Amino acid sequence: MANRRGSTGDRTPPFPFAGAILLAVAISAATVAWARWRFLRVAIEGGSMLPTLAPGDWVVVDRGPFRDYRPRPGDVILGRDPRAPEREIVKRVDHIDLHGAAWLLGDNPAESTDSRQFGALPPGAAAGRVRWRYWPPSRISRVR
Amino acid sequence: MNLVSRILRPSRVAFAHCDGPCGVYDPASARIAAEAVLSMEKKLAALGDGQDLATQNTRGRFIAIKEQQAELAKKELDILWHDYFKPEHLEKYPNLHDTFWKAAKLCSKNKTESDPANGEALLAAIEEVHKIFWATKNRDVAFYRAS
């Protein structure tokens, strides 16, 4: 190949699109890593969120694009039981009080243990919002 | 297929449960206390009205146990009433409060009197609680007595 004046010299790339492909791979890897950080796959146990969520449902929890998730009234959230922090729970946010704490209530209140028993979830204690159900296939839908 | 299921399978479990601090409730504990009350009332009736020291002592013990067990029955009923039952249950069973109120009143009556009829009435009231309790859990549990 001719050595053009002003070019970077004879460092001809071994494959013309190598840079572009490397960039594409890097971007996809970053996207996958980001998506894995942002979205969690969670299995539901128990009936306190019936009929919205049934035991055995698999859902996607959205932790928010960049910063920590902040619960809003009406959201179905993934949080932690204040009495037993190793225990993750799914409930609906009833309201946010003056201190920013989330008061949770099950959609099936007769069979739910929620903020009526354990009080409010402190600010920052909600991991994310339940956005979609992806299993079972017959029940694939958004979760509202 | 293995890869697909690995991608799909949730990485964690979240609970949408209902539980009390221990989560174990059963009207049976009130029923057992009420049976002890009835048993003491029957023993008191069988004891007669002898005034010798031994009979008086035995009567005193029977009365003490009867009152203690009636108090226990009242407490066990209160635990169900306050801790287990929720406003949603009251909507479905509007006679819930009345049932508990009458049962608690019967516990008091069993303390102040010694008529076995009161013990029978208390057990009947606890059977009503039993029916509502297991209905809220959609379970068919037969009421029975230990004695």
Side-chain angles (χ1 to χ4, degrees):
Chain A
M1 191 179 281
N3 192 359
R4 281 172 288 144
R5 279 171 73 89
S7 82
T8 51
D10 46 19
R11 283 182 58 236
T12 309
F15 185 70
F17 306 115
I21 287 170
L22 270 173
L23 189 66
V25 167
I27 290 173
S28 339
T31 308
V32 167
W34 172 77
R36 286 180 67 101
W37 176 85
R38 174 172 176 176
F39 299 108
L40 306 170
R41 303 180 310 280
V42 176
I44 304 298
E45 257 197 51
S48 82
M49 283 300 290
L50 285 168
T52 314
L53 299 174
D57 282 358
W58 291 357
V59 298
V60 172
V61 171
D62 185 357
R63 299 210 284 181
F66 302 111
R67 56 198 163 79
D68 282 346
Y69 164 75
R70 293 179 68 174
R72 288 169 308 165
D75 285 2
V76 178
I77 64 145
L78 177 72
R80 287 183 185 280
D81 187 335
R83 301 168 305 174
E86 71 283 355
R87 185 178 166 85
E88 291 198 286
I89 53 171
V90 163
K91 302 285 172 193
R92 192 179 294 277
V93 178
D94 185 64
H95 66 278
I96 309 287
D97 69 16
L98 288 170
H99 312 287
W103 289 80
L104 309 180
L105 187 65
D107 281 5
N108 179 14
E111 283 181 40
S112 174
T113 302
D114 41 48
S115 290
R116 293 173 298 174
Q117 282 85 23
F118 53 63
L121 217 58
R129 179 181 172 194
V130 178
R131 293 294 286 268
W132 302 280
R133 173 189 13 253
Y134 67 95
W135 199 266
S138 59
R139 281 168 57 79
I140 289 175
S141 74
R142 277 180 76 170
V143 175
R144 291 172 188 275
Chain B
M1 199 57 215
N2 199 8
L3 180 73
V4 171
S5 81
R6 251 178 62 193
I7 290 171
L8 284 178
R9 189 164 295 282
S11 52
R12 50 175 100 189
V13 172
F15 294 93
H17 270 172
C18 173
D19 64 342
C22 71
V24 182
Y25 298 103
D26 193 331
S29 35
R31 191 247 317 148
I32 293 166
E35 285 197 60
V37 171
L38 177 60
S39 164
M40 287 301 119
E41 287 165 346
K42 284 178 176 166
K43 282 181 192 286
L44 278 164
L47 194 63
D49 53 2
Q51 292 303 316
D52 57 292
L53 189 60
T55 311
Q56 285 193 31
N57 286 346
T58 305
R59 187 181 297 121
R61 287 186 57 235
F62 287 174
I63 290 172
I65 295 169
K66 171 181 70 79
E67 298 200 7
Q68 179 198 17
Q69 292 296 315
E71 186 63 28
L72 180 61
K74 192 193 265 182
K75 192 178 176 209
E76 294 291 352
L77 287 167
D78 278 350
I79 289 168
L80 292 175
W81 194 6
H82 305 154
D83 296 350
Y84 172 73
F85 283 102
K86 299 204 168 89
E88 292 73 28
H89 297 134
L90 181 63
E91 269 173 40
K92 220 170 159 191
Y93 304 94
N95 62 335
L96 185 76
H97 284 349
D98 201 47
T99 307
F100 272 102
W101 188 55
K102 282 178 178 154
K105 287 268 179 204
L106 278 166
C107 291
S108 305
K109 202 167 188 215
N110 275 285
K111 282 167 81 175
T112 54
E113 298 172 12
S114 297
D115 186 351
N118 294 331
E120 291 288 353
L122 177 57
L123 274 166
I126 290 170
E127 186 169 358
E128 286 309 303
V129 169
H130 168 103
K131 281 180 193 158
I132 298 177
F133 177 87
W134 290 112
T136 64
K137 292 184 164 268
N138 293 318
R139 279 176 60 182
D140 188 20
V141 176
F143 186 79
Y144 70 93
R145 294 187 184 188
S147 53

